[in-house]
Amino acid sequence: MKRLILFMTLASLSAFAQGPPMGGMPAGRNRESVLTTLQDSQPKGNSKITGTVTDSLSAEAVAYSTVSLINRETGKVVDGTMANDKGEFTLAQVAAGEYTVLISFVGYQDKRITDVKVQKGKNVDLGNILLPVNARALEEVKITGVKALIEEKVDRLVYNAEGDISAKGGDASDILKKVPMLSVDLDGNVSLRGSSNIKVLINNKPSTIVASSIADALKMIPADLIKTVEVITSPSAKYDAEGSGGIINIITKKSDIQGLTLNVDSGAGLRASNLGLNGSYRNGKFGMTLGGFGRVFYNKSGGTLDQTTFGSPSVSTRQTNSGNDNGMFGRYNLGFDYDISQNQSLSAGVAFGTRNLRRDLDYTTKLFTDNALTSTSLREVDGKDNSNNVDLNLDYIRIFKPRQELYVSTYYSQNNLINNFDANILNNSGEIFSRMQNRNDNTNKEFTVQTDFVTPVSTNQSFEVGLKGIFRNVNSDYRYLSAIGSGAFSLDPANPSGFLDYSQNIASGYASYTYTTADKLTLKLGARYEYTTIDAQDQINPIAIPSYGNLVPSVNISKTFANGSTVKLAYNKRIQRPGLQQLNPNYNASNPQNISIGNPNLRPEITDNVELSLSTFSGKNYYNFSLFGRQTNNAVTRITTPSDTLAGAMITTFENIGTQKALGGNLFGNFYLTPKWTLNGGLDLYYTYMEGQIAAADGSYRMADNSGIVLGGRLQSQLVLPNSWTVQAFGGFRGKQVQLQGTMGSFYMYSVGVKKDFNNKKGSIGLAAENFLGGMKMNSTVISPLYEQYSRNNIYNQNIKVTFSYKIGKMAFVQKKTRSVKNDDVIGGGSESGQQQ
């Protein structure tokens, strides 16, 4: 299988690499074609017209603006294109003659550049073209140069995190909790429209740290380094089919600055402190980045657990716990990029991450039989959750001609994890009666090789193909040790020891076709096929898991009207393969009343998604309304069952339960209350239904179902004050989550921050406070015919922090007129213009 995939990839590279080189600045991969009627009889030439479109007031790029080429003699439109997400455009194969270039975009005045003379064989660079805001928009809102926090692009919603001041000094989860359609719970777990089965990418690439735990991965990414967060609810065929709920792509900041720069970001607070150093160097064709980030946090934890097993006799547990959480997270990266020529670019990078999390808890457990107290036990647990990971990538881009490009990428990631605990069991006098240790070592490896090729079919059509191979290996080695009093440890015969070796190989290929009409109707059709083979072995026997293939279609249709409103209709099929936490068979009994264990026999989820959305503008204000439906078969969910009715313990594992459905909508907007005061927010509402088999009182299994409505939302406001002061406030909430056996508790959060820029915005100092009015409580309920369980987590998450940042070095951006590939095009650069995962 590996040899086949490598051969196919190298064969495609060899075939495509025979194309002729081509100079000048090419059009980006996201080029859409002419949106205006063209004169078919216009002769073609060998000249080009290039330029960059920017906002005349804010100097920001005007992405996806329409560019038309008009013959001055006939007054007819003879060619056209669309600028990419950086405002750059190229009109190729232009014949000698005199032209007018017309540039237009919703909310701006049309810009006409007359007397554009093209000589045979010579290119014309129009340079930086300033597009003025239309008079109506200027009357309603005077633009201050502050980029909108929320934007909608051709295929995704984008949250611009650079303007978020209250999250400074935090991590990625502090950013994601403010993004429309996303929900981040108090442990850092992320869901998209109620689904936690999502794919998270970092700069368009996966990472084994994300595969192991999304919540832990987010803690390793500093908020100060995040440029944008992209939410992709209907991925095209070029994306991996994985992620039944959708894709979240976190784009980190990169530099197009010539010379040497250094950024210092730091913060100190009641619950966490951080320090980050990031530098970049650029000289002509060569660029390098080097950075490091460290964060320590400290917090209290606590909660209660009440559970009852029905029967004769009935057994009940009343448990309380309290303790401390301490952790240290770090991430360090080194990157290079080099322009081999005007039409070829090479980039490479290495990133190291580390996580050291320690949780000390004291448990007091009371056991009741028929409501009579029968025993009281005390337990001290010292838990360690440590990991280190490395990500390596090498990428090559080749431009043959405008809109015809080849991408080749290789990627390796490895994550080593340790998930251990030490427990002391105490007698009623507080003396150690016995001791227990659980040792669980895990390794998660992933290697990827892929190639993508895109080419225009005509001025308004394009075609893409790609091949990809993913080779994953997960292993878990676990054992229990026990000792009486202060005696020596030995293997514990009462608790299982073993290992899991799990290899998963995925071969895939895709094709995608895009067609755009003159009246701005765009149709994008695609299909992707993925074939998965699995080899698994535990301590006893091989685990028989059959291979499977999936054909994953996608359809995206959008229509833009004259007033700037856009309607989109999309359908796609997605799959969700189980991750390490769900597969790991380690029997985690750190709390013997609430045991967890993975399931290596899980099958993948299959999900069908459909979405209808409307986005529109009113001046500079932006509104979006969307409806969505989702059905998942083989849905993976947590199932809890009693383990020993005499001890009152419960075991939670993962099962393919059956069917899960969701139907709902999202509403969000971005508003300018005044020229310097913005408000954005959203509301998420959906109905969910799930059904599956659970254990009955007689030992058989019966069908069960649960349903309900989930409501969530967020609101954020930012005010720019005189003398470089900025104030920002945020609040968000999520209602109870519906599960097959009960509900997961609701929660809310809020923050406020103030920042002062100085020294021409090279430095800033800020103060922020989070949940400062008190801690929170999160309640969850699980109910079945055999038992009921109620739990409460006390969240002590009040925080006040001081932040500081400063930039050293040359701070002037240089307009690159001959670069064929931008430095932040990390095989995609965060838009549809590149390799997608």
Side-chain angles (χ1 to χ4, degrees):
M1 176 66 70
K2 294 184 180 179
R3 293 181 179 178
L4 174 61
I5 297 172
L6 289 171
F7 173 77
M8 295 170 67
T9 301
L10 294 174
S12 62
L13 171 61
S14 175
F16 292 139
Q18 305 304 315
M22 167 262 175
M25 179 188 292
R29 188 178 184 182
N30 196 32
R31 301 284 188 272
E32 304 292 346
S33 21
V34 185
L35 299 178
T36 27
T37 304
L38 306 181
Q39 175 120 350
D40 295 335
S41 60
Q42 172 67 20
K44 299 296 182 181
N46 58 356
S47 299
K48 292 183 297 180
I49 300 175
T50 60
T52 303
V53 185
T54 59
D55 188 302
S56 63
L57 295 178
S58 69
E60 295 281 351
V62 181
Y64 310 116
S65 51
T66 302
V67 182
S68 301
L69 185 65
I70 303 172
N71 187 305
R72 291 188 62 189
E73 181 178 351
T74 64
K76 300 290 187 180
V77 176
V78 295
D79 201 356
T81 189
M82 180 179 286
N84 66 4
D85 60 347
K86 302 176 183 65
E88 303 163 340
F89 69 87
T90 296
L91 292 163
Q93 296 182 317
V94 179
E98 296 185 3
Y99 301 94
T100 294
V101 175
L102 173 65
I103 302 171
S104 59
F105 194 70
V106 175
Y108 293 86
Q109 300 178 33
D110 289 349
K111 178 77 172 184
R112 289 180 178 267
I113 305 174
T114 58
D115 198 25
V116 177
K117 297 180 180 179
V118 178
Q119 300 180 24
K120 184 176 181 180
K122 294 185 177 181
N123 300 330
V124 176
D125 186 357
L126 300 179
N128 194 32
I129 303 167
L130 301 179
L131 200 59
V133 179
N134 65 37
R136 179 182 174 186
L138 283 174
E139 289 174 2
E140 297 181 4
V141 179
K142 180 180 178 182
I143 303 303
T144 62
V146 178
K147 194 171 186 179
L149 278 178
I150 300 172
E151 298 180 280
E152 187 181 18
K153 295 192 176 180
V154 173
D155 70 330
R156 66 201 66 198
L157 177 140
V158 180
Y159 179 85
N160 291 301
E162 291 176 297
D164 192 334
I165 64 174
S166 62
K168 288 185 69 65
D171 55 43
S173 63
D174 296 311
I175 296 290
L176 265 61
K177 66 181 62 170
K178 302 176 183 180
V179 178
M181 296 183 286
L182 300 186
S183 176
V184 182
D185 69 18
L186 300 176
D187 293 322
N189 300 301
V190 185
S191 60
L192 169 56
R193 287 176 169 169
S195 174
S196 58
N197 295 324
I198 54 179
K199 183 78 170 179
V200 176
L201 307 176
I202 303 173
N203 293 321
N204 292 286
K205 300 184 185 304
S207 175
T208 53
I209 182 62
V210 176
S212 301
S213 170
I214 292 177
D216 289 339
L218 297 179
K219 293 182 176 68
M220 297 173 62
I221 306 173
D224 303 289
L225 286 188
I226 297 177
K227 179 181 179 182
T228 59
V229 177
E230 303 177 342
V231 181
I232 309 170
T233 56
S234 185
S236 63
K238 68 175 64 175
Y239 287 90
D240 284 354
E242 198 156 353
S244 58
I247 294 174
I248 300 172
N249 189 22
I250 299 174
I251 303 297
T252 58
K253 298 175 183 176
K254 300 177 178 64
S255 177
D256 282 330
I257 301 174
Q258 289 284 352
L260 180 65
T261 66
L262 177 66
N263 296 349
V264 181
D265 294 290
S266 62
L270 300 179
R271 297 297 183 195
S273 298
N274 68 283
L275 176 64
L277 296 172
N278 293 277
S280 66
Y281 174 76
R282 178 159 301 285
N283 185 12
K285 296 181 177 181
F286 175 77
M288 181 181 73
T289 60
L290 177 65
F293 167 80
R295 184 170 187 252
V296 295
F297 76 91
Y298 18 87
N299 205 348
K300 295 190 299 180
S301 61
T304 62
L305 175 68
D306 295 335
Q307 56 192 28
T308 299
T309 302
F310 305 130
S312 181
S314 66
V315 179
S316 300
T317 299
R318 305 289 183 267
Q319 185 182 80
T320 61
N321 69 78
S322 62
N324 297 284
D325 295 343
N326 298 280
M328 179 180 295
F329 299 87
R331 188 168 177 84
Y332 318 94
N333 61 278
L334 176 65
F336 303 91
D337 63 86
Y338 180 73
D339 286 342
I340 302 172
S341 64
Q342 288 185 327
N343 66 316
Q344 297 183 80
S345 176
L346 194 67
S347 63
V350 56
F352 297 93
T354 182
R355 179 196 69 209
N356 294 281
L357 176 62
R358 179 172 178 172
R359 170 171 288 184
D360 299 328
L361 287 172
D362 295 333
Y363 290 94
T364 299
T365 304
K366 295 183 178 181
L367 197 64
F368 297 81
T369 303
D370 285 336
N371 295 321
L373 178 64
T374 55
S375 66
T376 300
S377 62
L378 305 175
R379 173 180 286 239
E380 299 173 341
V381 178
D382 179 9
K384 295 181 180 178
D385 189 1
N386 302 337
S387 75
N388 61 80
N389 76 292
V390 59
D391 298 331
L392 304 168
N393 72 280
L394 179 63
D395 306 318
Y396 170 80
I397 304 176
R398 172 72 181 267
I399 312 296
F400 298 103
K401 63 181 182 180
R403 299 169 56 215
Q404 187 179 82
E405 305 170 13
L406 172 70
Y407 297 76
V408 179
S409 177
T410 58
Y411 178 78
Y412 176 79
S413 182
Q414 178 171 324
N415 189 25
N416 302 312
L417 304 98
I418 296 175
N419 195 344
N420 300 339
F421 75 82
D422 294 79
N424 295 327
I425 294 88
L426 311 178
N427 59 25
N428 292 332
S429 301
E431 299 173 339
I432 296 177
F433 172 73
S434 62
R435 294 176 295 156
M436 176 183 290
Q437 293 180 341
N438 176 222
R439 297 294 179 259
N440 185 201
D441 300 322
N442 304 273
T443 303
N444 194 346
K445 301 177 182 179
E446 181 171 315
F447 174 69
T448 300
V449 57
Q450 82 176 72
T451 179
D452 300 89
F453 179 71
V454 57
T455 185
V457 179
S458 65
T459 56
N460 65 334
Q461 300 177 72
S462 63
F463 183 68
E464 283 182 87
V465 292
L467 298 171
K468 186 173 186 178
I470 303 174
F471 312 100
R472 295 172 177 152
N473 178 259
V474 172
N475 63 64
S476 175
D477 188 356
Y478 55 95
R479 62 193 181 278
Y480 271 87
L481 306 171
S482 61
I484 301 298
S486 59
F489 280 99
S490 61
L491 285 176
D492 186 351
N495 289 289
S497 299
F499 72 89
L500 173 68
D501 188 7
Y502 189 97
S503 295
Q504 180 187 86
N505 297 328
I506 305 169
S508 61
Y510 77 89
S512 178
Y513 168 77
T514 303
Y515 175 76
T516 303
T517 67
D519 57 353
K520 301 183 181 180
L521 175 66
T522 299
L523 174 65
K524 188 161 192 174
L525 304 175
R528 183 182 189 93
Y529 182 77
E530 297 189 350
Y531 188 77
T532 305
T533 60
I534 298 174
D535 293 316
Q537 169 80 49
D538 63 16
Q539 68 274 12
I540 301 175
N541 293 307
I543 302 174
I545 303 177
S547 302
Y548 55 89
N550 299 96
L551 180 63
V552 184
S554 64
V555 180
N556 288 274
I557 305 172
S558 68
K559 167 66 176 177
T560 300
F561 298 92
N563 63 356
S565 299
T566 300
V567 176
K568 297 180 182 179
L569 177 64
Y571 165 79
N572 64 83
K573 184 183 288 289
R574 310 287 295 165
I575 64 177
Q576 181 72 35
R577 299 178 180 91
L580 175 59
Q581 286 185 322
Q582 297 166 322
L583 296 169
N584 189 359
N586 178 45
Y587 189 85
N588 189 332
S590 58
N591 180 358
Q593 302 306 116
N594 198 10
I595 301 166
S596 62
I597 184 172
N599 179 4
N601 292 293
L602 288 174
R603 305 185 306 278
E605 295 182 342
I606 308 295
T607 300
D608 292 277
N609 296 286
V610 63
E611 178 181 7
L612 175 65
S613 68
L614 167 67
S615 60
T616 187
F617 295 86
S618 175
K620 295 300 291 184
N621 298 329
Y622 168 75
Y623 310 85
N624 181 279
F625 312 88
S626 62
L627 299 173
F628 70 92
R630 179 177 67 239
Q631 176 168 319
T632 300
N633 296 318
N634 293 335
V636 176
T637 192
R638 293 177 182 268
I639 297 293
T640 301
T641 56
S643 66
D644 186 343
T645 56
L646 296 180
M650 304 289 176
I651 292 182
T652 299
T653 187
F654 296 90
E655 298 286 353
N656 294 102
I657 63 164
T659 302
Q660 184 173 349
K661 302 177 182 180
L663 179 65
N666 308 101
L667 165 66
F668 55 89
N670 192 33
F671 314 97
Y672 284 86
L673 303 179
T674 72
K676 297 184 178 181
W677 187 8
T678 60
L679 178 70
N680 69 80
L683 195 65
D684 310 323
L685 176 69
Y686 64 91
Y687 170 82
T688 184
Y689 169 85
M690 57 189 69
E691 62 180 19
Q693 290 188 337
I694 61 174
D698 59 1
S700 63
Y701 284 84
R702 68 173 182 86
M703 290 298 296
D705 62 77
N706 197 9
S707 62
I709 294 176
V710 181
L711 178 66
R714 66 207 61 80
L715 188 66
Q716 182 166 274
S717 184
Q718 180 169 302
L719 177 62
V720 179
L721 300 173
N723 301 318
S724 300
W725 285 91
T726 305
V727 178
Q728 187 180 85
F730 165 78
F733 74 97
R734 189 195 72 187
K736 290 184 177 180
Q737 293 279 93
V738 178
Q739 299 180 319
L740 181 62
Q741 293 178 289
T743 60
M744 181 180 295
S746 60
F747 61 87
Y748 61 90
M749 61 194 72
Y750 53 90
S751 62
V752 63
V754 60
K755 184 185 72 168
K756 164 68 174 177
D757 294 323
F758 59 90
N759 197 11
N760 197 26
K761 293 191 175 183
K762 287 188 175 182
S764 69
I765 187 169
L767 178 67
E770 303 165 327
N771 308 306
F772 46 85
L773 296 180
M776 289 178 278
K777 296 178 175 62
M778 185 172 176
N779 300 315
S780 297
T781 301
V782 179
I783 298 177
S784 83
L786 300 179
Y787 71 95
E788 59 185 19
Q789 182 186 75
Y790 303 93
S791 62
R792 169 180 290 181
N793 288 329
N794 298 320
I795 312 296
Y796 304 96
N797 56 353
Q798 309 99 312
N799 189 28
I800 299 176
K801 58 187 176 182
V802 177
T803 62
F804 172 81
S805 64
Y806 197 81
K807 302 175 183 178
I808 304 170
K810 184 178 180 180
M811 299 308 296
F813 284 84
V814 177
Q815 180 70 34
K816 306 174 185 65
K817 297 185 177 180
T818 59
R819 292 182 60 82
S820 61
V821 179
K822 287 295 182 182
N823 300 312
D824 55 0
D825 286 345
V826 186
I827 312 297
S831 72
E832 187 81 353
S833 57
Q835 169 193 353
Q836 310 293 353
Q837 303 301 327

